[in-house]
Amino acid sequence: MKQATFRSKILPPSHFIPKTLLKLQPSITTLTFPSKSPNPLTFKTLSCLESQSQSETKTLTLISVLRAIPDWADRVKERGVKQKRTLYSHEKWVEHRSSLRHVRHLLSSLSSRVILSLIPPVIAFTMVAVVIASYNSALDSHLLPGFLPVLRASSLPYQLTAPALALLLVFRTEASYSRFVDGKKAWTQIIAGTNDFATMVISGTDNSTDECIKDSLLRYIMAFPVALKGHVICDSDVSGDLQDLLDADDLAIVLDSKHRPRCIIEFISQSLQLLNLEATKQNMLESKISCFHEGIGVCEQLMGIPIPLSYTRLTSRFLVLWHLTLPIILWDDCHWIVVPATFISAASLFCIEEVSLSYLFASW
C-alpha cells in the first residue's frame, strides 16, 4: 500500500489519448465504377509490362546475390558489437601476456568480427588482381590480339604516395583511439558517480519512514547506467536489462519516453524531493545528478559527432584506388604473385582501417 501510494505521488499517471477512429463517409462507401475501361490495355502493352517486371526481378535477384556476402559480414560485425565485454582479471592478464598468444590469435582469426567484416573488400580486390593477371598472361601467350596493351606501370607513384597512405591510417587510428579513451573516461565517471550517489543515499537517509522512497531511489540510480547503455547502443534489450531494477509501471513509463536516461533522472529528482532531509543534505544529493547529465552529454557527443566524414571518405577512396591499381604496378616484378600480394595488402591495410571504426563501440 505504501509503495502504491509512493508511486502515485512520485510518478504522475500517464494520460494516453486514445486514437480516434476515422468515420467512414457515406460518399466513400458508394463508389461507382465505369462499365468499360476507357483505355483498355492491349496485348502488346501487357507483354511489355510483363517483360519489364521480369527484368526488374532479375536485377533484384542479381543485386541480392552480390549483397549476400557484405550483408552477412555486416550482421556478424553488428552482432559482435552487441556482445557484453567482461573486465580483465588477474587470470585474464596472465593469459593476455602469454607467449602463446600469437598462436591463439592466429587460430581465432576466423571468429574475429573485424576479420570477417573484411571478406567483401578483400575478395573483391583479389578478384580484380586475378582478372588483370589473367589478361596480361593471355597477352603474353598470344591468346589475345597483339594491339591490346599490357597492363603495367612504374612503381614510382606508389613509392611516393605510400607515406601519405601510412599517415592517413595512423592519424585515423589515433583519432579513433582518442575517442575510445574519451568514452572510457566518461563511462568510468558515470559508474563512479553512480556508486558515490548510492553510497550517499544509503548513509544520508536514516529515517525509517523513507525506506520505500529510499529503495525506489536506489533502484533508479542503478538503472541509469543501464538505460544510458541502451541509449547509445542500437537495438539493445533495454526492457530485459531494466526489468530486474524497475517495477512494471516504472518500466512502462521509461520505455515509452523519448529519452530514457533523462526520464530516470526525472524519477531520481522527484524521489529526492520526497525525502525528509535537511536542506544541506538534499542539495548535496541533488548536485550529484549533474554527473549523470555530463555523462549523457559526452556519450551523445561521441555517438552523434563522428570523425570528420571528409577524412573518412578520403582514407576509404585512397585505399580503394591503391588496391585497384596495385596489380598493374606489381606485374613486371611479380607476375602471378600479384594475386597473393594484393590479398595480403588488402587484408592488412583494410584491417587497420576497420580497427579504427571498432574503437568507439569497444568503449561501451
Side-chain angles (χ1 to χ4, degrees):
M1 179 65 69
K2 291 182 178 180
Q3 189 172 2
T5 304
F6 164 69
R7 186 178 291 110
S8 63
K9 291 182 179 179
I10 188 173
L11 300 177
S14 55
H15 301 283
F16 295 101
I17 301 175
K19 295 182 179 180
T20 57
L21 298 177
L22 295 177
K23 297 182 179 179
L24 297 176
Q25 300 294 333
S27 60
I28 299 179
T29 58
T30 57
L31 297 177
T32 59
F33 298 92
S35 58
K36 293 183 180 181
S37 176
N39 295 318
L41 296 175
T42 61
F43 176 76
K44 183 177 180 180
T45 307
L46 291 175
S47 61
C48 292
L49 291 175
E50 184 178 357
S51 61
Q52 183 179 0
S53 62
Q54 290 178 356
S55 62
E56 290 179 355
T57 304
K58 291 180 180 179
T59 304
L60 292 175
T61 304
L62 179 60
I63 293 175
S64 61
V65 170
L66 294 177
R67 286 187 58 89
I69 295 179
D71 290 342
W72 169 79
D74 291 339
R75 287 194 299 269
V76 172
K77 180 169 62 175
E78 294 303 322
R79 187 166 58 247
V81 168
K82 299 175 186 177
Q83 291 178 354
K84 294 182 178 180
R85 296 166 180 82
T86 57
L87 297 176
Y88 264 46
S89 60
H90 293 290
E91 292 78 10
K92 282 189 172 293
W93 275 113
V94 171
E95 182 182 4
H96 185 68
R97 295 192 299 263
S98 174
S99 58
L100 296 176
R101 65 183 182 275
H102 304 292
V103 178
R104 184 177 67 252
H105 295 163
L106 181 62
L107 295 177
S108 62
S109 297
L110 296 179
S111 61
S112 172
R113 62 183 177 87
V114 174
I115 294 178
L116 292 178
S117 63
L118 298 178
I119 291 179
V122 171
I123 290 179
F125 293 121
T126 304
M127 294 304 297
V128 170
V130 170
V131 171
I132 293 175
S134 301
Y135 171 80
N136 288 340
S137 298
L139 285 177
D140 294 340
S141 302
H142 304 288
L143 299 177
L144 294 176
F147 63 86
L148 294 176
V150 179
L151 297 180
R152 62 162 64 99
S154 173
S155 61
L156 182 60
Y158 264 47
Q159 296 175 7
L160 295 176
T161 57
L165 179 60
L167 290 176
L168 279 176
L169 292 176
V170 168
F171 290 154
R172 169 69 181 273
T173 307
E174 285 189 357
S176 300
Y177 188 74
S178 65
R179 292 169 62 86
F180 167 79
V181 173
D182 293 340
K184 295 299 292 185
K185 287 182 178 179
W187 197 251
T188 302
Q189 291 178 358
I190 291 171
I191 298 300
T194 301
N195 295 332
D196 190 17
F197 198 177
T199 303
M200 292 181 62
V201 170
I202 294 174
S203 61
T205 55
D206 299 331
N207 194 349
S208 59
T209 59
D210 295 336
E211 288 297 327
C212 180
I213 303 176
K214 179 180 176 181
D215 180 70
S216 298
L217 178 58
L218 291 175
R219 288 178 177 272
Y220 297 149
I221 294 173
M222 292 186 294
F224 174 78
V226 180
L228 182 58
K229 183 199 71 172
H231 180 68
V232 298
I233 297 179
C234 181
D235 296 333
S236 58
D237 188 12
V238 182
S239 177
D241 295 338
L242 291 177
Q243 63 181 357
D244 295 333
L245 297 174
L246 300 178
D247 295 335
D249 297 337
D250 298 337
L251 181 60
I253 296 175
V254 171
L255 295 179
D256 291 338
S257 62
K258 295 181 179 179
H259 200 290
R260 293 164 183 171
R262 296 193 186 278
C263 179
I264 294 182
I265 289 179
E266 184 65 24
F267 287 176
I268 294 173
S269 178
Q270 292 178 4
S271 301
L272 289 176
Q273 294 176 3
L274 293 178
L275 289 175
N276 297 322
L277 296 176
E278 299 178 357
T280 55
K281 289 185 177 181
Q282 189 168 1
N283 293 334
M284 187 180 301
L285 290 176
E286 289 179 352
S287 64
K288 293 295 180 181
I289 301 179
S290 61
C291 177
F292 292 167
H293 287 289
E294 292 176 0
I296 293 176
V298 174
C299 293
E300 289 183 345
Q301 181 181 5
L302 290 175
M303 295 299 299
I305 306 176
I307 296 174
L309 297 180
S310 58
Y311 187 82
T312 303
R313 296 191 187 104
L314 175 61
T315 307
S316 179
R317 291 163 183 163
F318 205 150
L319 284 172
V320 170
L321 294 176
W322 177 279
H323 290 93
L324 284 177
T325 56
L326 183 62
I328 300 175
I329 299 297
L330 299 179
W331 175 252
D332 287 337
D333 298 328
C334 301
H335 292 281
W336 270 94
I337 302 180
V338 297
V339 177
T342 303
F343 175 83
I344 295 173
S345 176
S348 302
L349 297 182
F350 276 95
C351 186
I352 296 174
E353 198 266 345
E354 183 67 27
V355 166
S356 65
L357 288 176
S358 305
Y359 270 142
L360 177 61
F361 294 100
S363 62
W364 311 120

